[in-house]
């Protein structure tokens, strides 16, 4: 699946989210894959504008050059999977210092989302 390749092969992915006026904003974020399923997490919790837009609409797209991958996004509340997502972030972004500590901190674990390819 192309979106999985994008997530695994790219450090920073680009998520396109919808503005209330119908416009779109593309934001660079980190993403991981666990057992073939892509996940994203808001490192700044509900303060992230892209996160608030995804929560409002339940959908987004990931943009890789001319490729677009439309997705739906659902909040994750499975502690075992969240732990696997933590480990995936720690492995993929091991050399990212304070940014990694932020995205893997206990305060933002609840802002983990499963990405479902449409």
């Amino acid at each position: 699946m192309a979106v999985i390749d994008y997530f695994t092969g790219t450090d920073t992915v680009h998520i396109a989210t919808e503005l209330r006026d119908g416009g779109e904003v593309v934001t660079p974020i980190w993403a991981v894959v666990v057992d073939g399923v892509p996940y994203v997490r808001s490192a700044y919790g509900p303060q992230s504008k892209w996160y608030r837009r995804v929560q409002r609409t339940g959908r987004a797209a990931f943009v890789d050059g001319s490729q677009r991958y439309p997705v739906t996004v659902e909040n994750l509340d499975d502690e075992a999977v969240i732990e696997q997502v933590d480990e995936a972030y720690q492995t993929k972004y091991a050399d990212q210092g304070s940014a990694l500590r932020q995205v893997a901190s206990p305060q933002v674990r609840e802002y983990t989302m499963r990405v479902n390819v449409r």
Side-chain angles (χ1 to χ4, degrees):
M1 186 178 309
V3 72
I4 300 297
D5 293 340
Y6 176 52
F7 273 45
T8 58
T10 307
D11 283 343
T12 303
V13 298
H14 293 87
I15 187 170
T17 54
E18 184 181 320
L19 297 169
R20 288 187 189 276
D21 68 5
E24 180 179 86
V25 176
V26 178
T27 307
I29 64 171
W30 288 353
V32 296
V33 175
V34 174
D35 294 332
V37 178
Y39 295 91
V40 295
R41 176 181 288 167
S42 175
Y44 300 100
Q47 286 75 36
S48 294
K49 290 180 180 178
W50 73 264
Y51 173 82
R52 290 196 310 259
R53 289 189 293 267
V54 164
Q55 291 298 301
R56 180 175 48 82
T57 64
R59 64 184 180 276
F62 286 90
V63 181
D64 181 17
S66 63
Q67 293 290 320
R68 286 182 69 87
Y69 307 106
V71 300
T72 58
V73 179
E74 64 183 271
N75 295 330
L76 187 64
D77 64 359
D78 182 323
E79 183 59 31
V81 175
I82 290 173
E83 286 179 17
Q84 291 178 308
V85 171
D86 287 344
E87 291 171 15
Y89 272 108
Q90 290 168 1
T91 299
K92 184 174 181 181
Y93 301 103
D95 61 347
Q96 296 299 315
S98 64
L100 172 60
R101 286 190 294 280
Q102 178 66 33
V103 80
S105 72
Q107 295 85 356
V108 299
R109 297 175 85 237
E110 69 183 276
Y111 304 105
T112 305
M113 295 158 283
R114 178 185 175 125
V115 175
N116 302 302
V117 180
R118 291 196 265 166

